[in-house]
Amino acid sequence: AGGFGGGGERPYEQDDLLHIFRANGMPSSDNIYVFNGDLVDRGDHACEIVLLIFALKLADPSSVHVNRGNHEEPHINIYSGFEEECVAKYDHRVFQLFHAAFVWLPFACVVNGKALVLHGGIPSDDSATLDDLRSISRGPDVCSENDNWGKEDWIKDILWSDPHPDPDFRGSQASKRGAGVLWGEDVTWSFLERERLSVIVRSHQ
């Protein structure tokens, strides 16, 4: 945990999550938090961050919500540092246990009936609805679940997509990330109007 040293010592580096809690207060019914994916691979304390967020979720489930990001996928964080951190601090079994939990994280949530919060982007399939997003199965082998057949690309879009950097672009095209798409603002407005939403909140960039 970060803090300030006494006696003229140089301040320790403060961890972002603890700084956020100090600045904005702990989760409560009047202070609800949504963590929007990529809990890991973002520093040297991913294990502690995930354990703290999960503990807060268990202590007050209605005040802490945790979406899944692309870095909660093992084929990403094996190469991005999280596996190495788990093995250095614990062992490989702990890494596997984290992933046994990650596969149950939801892909999105809606705040106050108006804000769709997800990590990457909306499905590029223009027939997809909020109810379709709610219907995506979670758990082990999520893309092999019968309920998810035909929705594999939706999952990739939710975790990997980004808005197109050209404000005049319309439609969608494959992303250079290798998964998901780049989409234009026409796609955003169409989805918002169809689902009676006001905004999409995302965290992938």
Side-chain angles (χ1 to χ4, degrees):
F4 289 98
E9 293 178 329
R10 181 173 166 272
Y12 294 105
E13 181 181 4
Q14 294 214 9
D15 297 314
D16 290 345
L17 179 60
L18 298 182
H19 172 72
I20 288 169
F21 286 149
R22 291 190 190 102
N24 299 292
M26 296 297 289
S28 69
S29 59
D30 297 321
N31 197 34
I32 296 172
Y33 281 85
V34 176
F35 297 94
N36 199 24
D38 283 11
L39 308 179
V40 303
D41 291 336
R42 292 293 180 262
D44 297 327
H45 299 96
C47 291
E48 293 85 351
I49 288 170
V50 174
L51 290 171
L52 176 55
I53 291 173
F54 282 3
L56 293 169
K57 176 67 175 175
L58 289 169
D60 192 354
S62 63
S63 298
V64 177
H65 303 274
V66 189
N67 288 340
R68 187 174 181 177
N70 63 309
H71 281 263
E72 279 70 61
E73 295 188 320
H75 69 281
I76 299 300
N77 58 45
I78 282 174
Y79 301 105
S80 299
F82 184 55
E83 180 186 38
E84 182 179 357
E85 179 183 342
C86 288
V87 171
K89 292 178 178 177
Y90 304 103
D91 55 36
H92 202 269
R93 179 174 174 271
V94 169
F95 175 72
Q96 294 172 323
L97 288 171
F98 274 119
H99 278 285
F102 291 163
V103 297
W104 291 103
L105 294 176
F107 291 100
C109 65
V110 177
V111 177
N112 292 337
K114 289 296 183 182
L116 174 63
V117 184
L118 39 65
H119 185 71
I122 53 179
S124 53
D125 179 350
D126 60 11
S127 70
T129 66
L130 277 181
D131 285 339
D132 289 328
L133 299 190
R134 294 185 179 101
S135 74
I136 297 176
S137 296
R138 294 176 274 156
D141 300 320
V142 66
C143 286
S144 299
E145 295 285 340
N146 289 341
D147 290 344
N148 286 345
W149 286 355
K151 300 177 184 176
E152 297 90 345
D153 287 340
W154 293 4
I155 294 171
K156 291 178 182 177
D157 291 343
I158 291 167
L159 297 179
W160 285 91
S161 291
D162 298 302
H164 200 285
D166 181 355
D168 296 323
F169 179 83
R170 297 295 180 265
S172 62
Q173 67 181 42
S175 171
K176 293 181 179 179
R177 292 182 185 269
V181 301
L182 299 174
W183 82 89
E185 68 172 57
D186 60 318
V187 177
T188 301
W189 286 116
S190 176
F191 187 85
L192 292 176
E193 290 172 5
R194 186 170 70 247
E195 299 303 314
R196 299 181 180 180
L197 297 167
S198 297
V199 66
I200 296 171
V201 179
R202 50 185 304 281
S203 305
H204 192 39
Q205 293 166 295

